[in-house]
Amino acid sequence: MSVMHLSEHEREELETREQRALGFWLYLMGDAVIFALLFATYAIMIPGTAGGPTGKQLFNLNNAALETALLLVSSLTFGFASLSVQAGNRKAVLGWLGVTFVLGAGFIFLELREFAGLIAQGAGPDRSGFLSAFFTLVGTHGVHVSMGLLWIVILGAQVAVKGLTAPVASRLFRLGLFWHFLDIAWVGIFSIVYLPGLL
Amino acid sequence: MFGKLTIEALPLYSAIAAGGAAVTVGGALLVAIVLTWLKAWKYLWTDWLTSVDHKRIGVMYIVLALIMLLRGFVDAIMMRAQQATALDAGGYLPPEHFDQIFSSHGTIMIFFMAMPFMTGLINLIMPLQIGTRDVAFPWLNAVSLWLSAAGAGLVMVSLVIGKFSTAGWTGYPPYSGIDYNPGVGVDYWIWAILISGVGSTMSGINFIVTILKRRAPGMTLMRMTPFTWTALCASVLMAFAFPAITVACGLLALDRLFGMHFFTNAHGGNMMNYANLFWIWGHPEVYILILPAFGIFSEVVATFSKKRLFGYESLVYATAAIAILSFTVWLHHFFTMGSSANVNAFFGVTTMVIAVPTGVKVFNWLLTMYRGRIDFHPSMMWSIGFMVTFVIGGMTGVLLAIPPADFLMHNTTFLVAHFHNMIIPGVLFGYLAGYMFWFPKAFGFELNRGWGLASFWCWLIGFYLAFMPLYLLGLKGMPRRMETYNDPTWQPYLMVAAAGAVVVLFGIASMVMQLYVSIRDRRLTADRTGDPFDGRTLEWSTSSPPPPYNFAVIPTVSDREPFLVAKKDGTAYQRPASYTPISIPSNTPAGVVLGIFAFVLGFAIIWHIWWLVAVSAIVMFTTVITRSSDDHAEFTLSAGEVKRIEDERFRELGRRA
């Protein structure tokens, strides 16, 4: 369907959606700057353990691998939700959003458990510069995932109440961008924090 | 219940601090009384505070900027008075108070004067110049405004409750850390910047999308006005540089709140990382402020020289080059930190390189004026004063770009003179030129020329008197931010500088007079055509002030100066055969509510009132969720209503003819 055949109203709606998508991409790029600086800060603070524990002593690759699996699969299930939006299948959208939510919540649970374990053994964020940087980088990602979970709930409610209207579909598209972006950030965390910390 | 907040927080520790608090509270009360007396609260709320119209948001930004300019200037003249009399522990300010004043002066002038002024001018004019009806995200625009206002509010409140930071406008750790600064001052600084910084990031995104996606048909990128181009480049910098200060201040806040060790002396902290993070934002920020001013100068010089801008393409490319290079020079703010000679040399060279595109622009403006028919309107005078003065500042900048020379002048008043020499003529003169140029567009009457010229001359002369002596003092070795000193040969220079501040005061008084006289005489100087200066670009084709929808029919553009061409062809001011309904975003209190609770949130964190933090965060979340779930945030202006407004406009034009 070319743009020429759209009615005035449809054209406006398409333009609005495009503008919002571009705006959201720009927001994600700004967010990527935040992550980039937190990564850089982490990298330079790895030696700053102040006599406290190092990554090698603290990190558990199994936990990180499980977290990675949950988050990557949740990206896949969100992809199915997006396909269902295009197919106009409301029930499937709700179902896949639900699965995504459960996987994301599982990720957050594992992360909180890891954090609690670290704090319990005296390796909290106030122990050393290294741990401050670790908790802040990983925690910032975790806060993003939690916001994503909240957003999934809100849009799930909108899908249930309003149906897959154009504005709701447009919001789901941006939520998808956000969710996949968090995956990319996590891949960075896994490869810069956990892997080198243990190898 | 109230966290760290006790009655001790009132500024009763010194008469001057208490006086400042009294003036702040009294000023706020006076405004409230006047508004009540005029019965203006409802009008203010429905027509302004809840507005999402880019023009009104622009005006509110500029009002905020002008108020904060007054506050920042009071700080400045107090510092000048202190240093002029502070030989051998003289002066009238205790060190603690003096330190708060130079910290708040810099913070206010950059974040709460220059930033809102720039954002306001872009908001007011850019959508008109590209021929659109509003920015891409009108309510986000309102949120940005109210977050900036919330940040400014926190700085103002610190005068009355508690103290402001004493760590300078850059807040370097470890001094700004909790060990050396256990009070709330640094927290006020951090949260004012974090909250307004979010607003600036969103403004940047909003403007980029607006400029890239909402231009009138036919307006290719290379047909955009210079101001729109500079707004675009500045917005890109805003969107990608502001996250850096969010990180810098955020990590500092984590250190202070949760005992983390990002920037502490001990426990593996790395305070030099702060300097890097801060200036990764800080240097682009200089260009965020100055590029739009360059755009304004370009418009003003072309209009009042009655010539096309000379070398438009070179100006556009120079702007883009500056925007990119601005991310490659940040280390020149701390050559003395101890990087290797090669690193310093690299950043020294990039710093000198960035002067080249800036130099290109000076020739653009000079050659536009060459053989032009120059009208010495105050806006033009600001531009000329800028060109002469800015070149001096540019030369001292190239001097500072040489690392060995910088080692000698680092942290002296030479540096203070240099950056004021860039920012006062480059940024402030530009915004004031824009303010006097576009004022009739916003309000429908012109500003008085005589008082405008008086203001210009006072500012220009005052500037030279205030800052040239600081160059010399810097060369003589005077460090910046001195509350007292014991070298009597410095005092005469500081007295001249203080006299300069007094002359600037006359300049500000002239601006106030200008506003008063212009409002009084508004019927005499009414702008009935919408085009008082024989304008060249689309904003002048609308009425002054423009209708809520800006353009009844979106113009089609075929030239860089579309309105000038239309006036020559006789195609300007044409009535369309018929009008169509126009949908306009509805006003919403969501923006101002978010701003109020962002202020409360910041205040509560500063004073560790945790229940209030939770309450305000929940209110903010709910507001955002409710508003962003709303699918019908617009109303439609019927074709008949549009026709009525347009008929009125053409009657006015006909009367004039």
Side-chain angles (χ1 to χ4, degrees), chain B residues 315-380:
Chain B
L315 188 113
V316 169
Y317 286 119
T319 304
I322 291 173
I324 293 165
L325 286 172
S326 72
F327 277 110
T328 64
V329 299
W330 81 86
L331 193 129
H332 70 212
H333 294 271
F334 44 92
F335 278 142
T336 55
M337 185 172 96
S339 301
S340 71
N342 286 340
V343 171
N344 278 357
F346 173 84
F347 283 93
V349 170
T350 54
T351 305
M352 288 181 230
V353 169
I354 207 168
V356 175
T358 317
V360 166
K361 294 185 170 208
V362 174
F363 286 102
N364 288 131
W365 299 312
L366 281 177
L367 291 169
T368 305
M369 286 168 64
Y370 180 64
R371 293 194 162 172
R373 245 170 213 280
I374 298 175
D375 172 358
F376 291 99
H377 183 271
S379 293
M380 190 66 195

Side-chain angles (χ1 to χ4, degrees), chain B residues 75-311:
Chain B
D75 289 338
I77 204 164
M78 283 175 79
M79 280 188 283
R80 286 283 130 255
Q82 168 71 14
Q83 288 198 328
T85 55
L87 180 66
D88 293 328
Y92 65 104
L93 288 172
E96 161 93 357
H97 196 180
F98 181 76
D99 295 354
Q100 286 185 56
I101 290 175
F102 69 65
S103 303
S104 65
H105 170 76
T107 307
I108 285 173
M109 287 305 202
I110 296 288
F111 292 95
F112 301 111
M113 190 286 287
M115 284 303 292
F117 213 148
M118 173 208 61
T119 317
L121 287 168
I122 294 178
N123 253 312
L124 181 62
I125 294 304
M126 178 272 287
L128 294 168
Q129 288 194 331
I130 64 172
T132 184
R133 287 183 178 141
D134 209 325
V135 293
F137 312 118
W139 104 266
L140 192 69
N141 202 18
V143 174
S144 295
L145 164 72
W146 291 110
L147 291 182
S148 300
L154 284 175
V155 178
M156 294 306 278
V157 153
S158 75
L159 269 180
V160 185
I161 305 173
K163 291 177 182 171
F164 195 65
S165 171
T166 55
W169 81 278
T170 52
Y172 275 6
Y175 178 70
S176 58
I178 198 79
D179 292 341
Y180 300 89
N181 242 311
V184 292
V186 177
D187 297 307
Y188 267 118
W189 177 81
I190 288 175
W191 290 97
I193 287 176
L194 279 178
I195 289 170
S196 69
V198 173
S200 299
T201 311
M202 294 194 304
S203 289
I205 292 172
N206 210 342
F207 294 149
I208 298 172
V209 178
T210 307
I211 295 172
L212 291 183
K213 290 281 186 188
R214 292 179 68 93
R215 298 191 308 279
M219 182 172 281
T220 56
L221 286 176
M222 289 311 258
R223 282 180 190 156
M224 297 194 316
T225 64
F227 180 63
T228 304
W229 257 111
T230 54
L232 175 63
C233 291
S235 304
V236 171
L237 297 182
M238 271 155 89
F240 300 128
F242 265 86
I245 197 167
T246 304
V247 171
C249 287
L251 300 186
L252 186 61
L254 290 175
D255 271 8
R256 293 179 59 86
L257 282 173
F258 303 118
M260 293 201 196
H261 298 288
F262 283 104
F263 310 127
T264 51
N265 261 334
H267 298 287
N270 184 340
M271 63 202 84
M272 294 310 180
N273 189 32
Y274 178 89
N276 277 290
L277 292 172
F278 185 86
W279 289 109
I280 285 172
W281 160 82
H283 204 85
E285 167 69 5
V286 176
Y287 292 97
I288 291 170
L289 296 179
I290 215 163
L291 287 177
F294 287 171
I296 295 167
F297 291 129
S298 306
E299 310 267 327
V300 164
V301 168
T303 304
F304 291 111
S305 303
K306 307 215 179 346
K307 273 178 68 189
R308 236 172 205 263
L309 183 71
F310 179 89

Side-chain angles (χ1 to χ4, degrees), chain B residues 43-60:
Chain B
Y43 166 75
L44 191 69
W45 177 259
T46 51
D47 282 30
W48 289 90
L49 303 187
T50 57
S51 177
V52 293
D53 181 329
H54 71 93
K55 302 176 284 293
R56 299 211 155 177
I57 288 179
V59 168
M60 286 188 280

Side-chain angles (χ1 to χ4, degrees), chain A residues 19-20 23 26-27 29-30 33-34 37 41 44-45 48 50 125-126 128-129 132-133 136 147 154 158 162 167 171, chain B residues 136-137 205 208-209 213-214 240 243-244 247 251 254 258-262 267-268 270 273 621 625 628-631:
Chain A
Q19 287 171 25
R20 292 187 176 174
L26 291 167
Y27 154 72
M29 288 159 78
V33 173
I34 290 187
L37 295 172
T41 300
I44 61 161
M45 298 196 85
D126 53 353
S128 66
S132 303
T136 304
M147 292 293 141
I154 292 162
Q158 290 191 14
K162 299 180 183 179
R171 286 169 200 146
Chain B
F137 312 118
I205 292 172
I208 298 172
V209 178
K213 290 281 186 188
R214 292 179 68 93
F240 300 128
V247 171
L251 300 186
L254 290 175
F258 303 118
M260 293 201 196
H261 298 288
F262 283 104
H267 298 287
N270 184 340
N273 189 32
F621 263 115
I625 291 166
S628 56
S629 307
D630 187 354
D631 299 339

